[in-house]
Amino acid sequence: MKNINHDKKRELHPLYKCAVLFLCVLGAAIIFVDWPQKPKSTYEVEDQEEISKQNNKTTEASVLVVIDPGHGGNDPGKVSRDGILEKDVNLQISLCVKQELEARGVEALLLRTTDDNLATAGATNKKNSDMKNRVAKINDCNPDFLISIHQNSFTDPKVRGPQVFYHGSSEASETFALRLQEKLNAINPQFAREAKEGNDYYLLNKSVCPGVILECGFLSCPEETALLTSQQYQQKIASAIADAILDVH
């Protein structure tokens, strides 16, 4: 009689099966880890670096500039011989400056956008109220820079050229003023002027940030008045201001 156990095919013990399976999986894992990785292309590396730069830029604090169009409302400022009002020219240039700054990624805030002043309604002294309210708005938003836009006037109609004033106690204001004056002088070198201390300006005395008063030109000079009211020249002034701000920031 044949032995039935000898007729059956020999099978591996279950424990041996598990051991073999484990060794196969382990070997496959080792081969995968040690397999040489394909190096990143130059373009992939550059793309990652560019993404990193862009991410860093978004985390940087943005620059905030307050633009003060001088005068407004019942306060016309200087008046040219042919009736051009300083308050109107100030606002036109200020709007141009805001547009130029924002085009370069700089946040800009206008203290007024219409022909109004900032005096409190019913104030007995509108000029004082207007100036105090301007300073309050400036200090509330704590900007990186303040620029107050104005136009000049003089008895001699031949006198012309832009001029920047700053508070002498502020090194940052002086640096900004000198750089801005340099940029403005480059527009019309023959009428170059020097930046000066303006310690009596209320706006510069009371503001907490670096700031300047910019007299863009003389409305008492007919030739310069024609320039100051032209869109092309206003754009040149705006570009000079934006250049100076980005240079010193």
Side-chain angles (χ1 to χ4, degrees), residues 2-3 10 23-24 43 49 56 67 80 87 89 97 102-103 108 127 130 135 138 147 154 180 187 191 195 197 244:
K2 292 183 179 180
N3 193 333
R10 293 185 177 273
L23 291 174
C24 290
Y43 296 107
E49 290 176 350
N56 289 336
I67 307 165
S80 73
K87 65 176 184 177
V89 180
V97 172
E102 290 179 341
K127 184 64 177 177
D130 171 66
V135 169
I138 293 166
I147 181 160
F154 194 63
L180 177 55
I187 298 175
F191 303 114
E197 289 188 15

Side-chain angles (χ1 to χ4, degrees), residues 32-48:
F32 177 81
V33 171
D34 290 341
W35 192 266
Q37 299 294 314
K38 180 183 177 182
K40 293 182 179 179
S41 68
T42 303
Y43 296 107
E44 288 175 318
V45 173
E46 289 177 350
D47 287 345
Q48 287 187 356

Side-chain angles (χ1 to χ4, degrees), residues 10 14-15 43 50 58 64 73 82 89 93 107 109 132 138 148 167 173 175 180 182 184 188 198 200 218 223:
R10 293 185 177 273
L15 289 176
Y43 296 107
E50 184 61 29
T58 59
L64 173 60
D82 52 352
V89 180
I93 293 176
E107 186 179 358
L109 173 67
K132 287 181 179 179
I138 293 166
S148 186
H167 201 283
S173 296
T175 300
L180 177 55
E182 180 184 345
L184 292 166
N188 287 316
D200 294 332
F218 286 77
E223 292 81 8

Side-chain angles (χ1 to χ4, degrees), residues 203-238:
L203 209 65
L204 299 182
N205 270 315
K206 301 297 183 180
S207 299
V208 296
C209 63
V212 298
I213 303 286
L214 170 57
E215 301 281 359
C216 300
F218 286 77
L219 291 181
S220 52
C221 173
E223 292 81 8
E224 192 156 54
T225 299
L227 287 174
L228 292 168
T229 53
S230 73
Q231 187 174 2
Q232 184 178 8
Y233 191 76
Q234 290 175 357
Q235 181 58 48
K236 289 182 179 181
I237 293 175

Side-chain angles (χ1 to χ4, degrees), residues 70-223:
H71 308 283
N74 67 324
D75 179 10
K78 305 293 190 301
V79 182
S80 73
R81 188 169 59 184
D82 52 352
I84 301 296
L85 304 181
E86 178 187 354
K87 65 176 184 177
D88 295 334
V89 180
N90 293 346
L91 183 56
Q92 291 167 5
I93 293 176
S94 295
L95 289 168
C96 194
V97 172
K98 176 179 170 64
Q99 184 179 28
E100 181 67 22
L101 286 172
E102 290 179 341
R104 303 192 192 196
V106 177
E107 186 179 358
L109 173 67
L110 283 171
L111 291 189
R112 69 178 179 94
T113 58
T114 58
D115 182 20
D116 296 296
N117 57 41
L118 274 67
T120 302
T124 54
N125 189 324
K126 289 187 178 297
K127 184 64 177 177
N128 285 349
S129 177
D130 171 66
M131 294 304 296
K132 287 181 179 179
N133 288 341
R134 287 178 196 252
V135 169
K137 289 190 70 173
I138 293 166
N139 292 341
D140 280 348
C141 61
N142 191 26
D144 296 283
F145 296 100
L146 160 69
I147 181 160
S148 186
I149 303 294
H150 290 264
Q151 311 305 316
N152 218 331
S153 184
F154 194 63
T155 53
D156 185 352
K158 294 181 181 179
V159 175
R160 59 188 294 184
Q163 191 161 29
V164 186
F165 295 88
Y166 63 93
H167 201 283
S169 66
S170 172
E171 184 178 348
S173 296
E174 182 179 4
T175 300
F176 178 29
L178 293 174
R179 189 59 175 154
L180 177 55
Q181 188 69 62
E182 180 184 345
K183 293 290 185 180
L184 292 166
N185 286 345
I187 298 175
N188 287 316
Q190 67 271 37
F191 303 114
R193 304 178 74 85
E194 293 182 0
K196 289 186 177 182
E197 289 188 15
N199 299 335
D200 294 332
Y201 284 105
Y202 181 84
L203 209 65
L204 299 182
N205 270 315
K206 301 297 183 180
S207 299
V208 296
C209 63
V212 298
I213 303 286
L214 170 57
E215 301 281 359
C216 300
F218 286 77
L219 291 181
S220 52
C221 173
E223 292 81 8

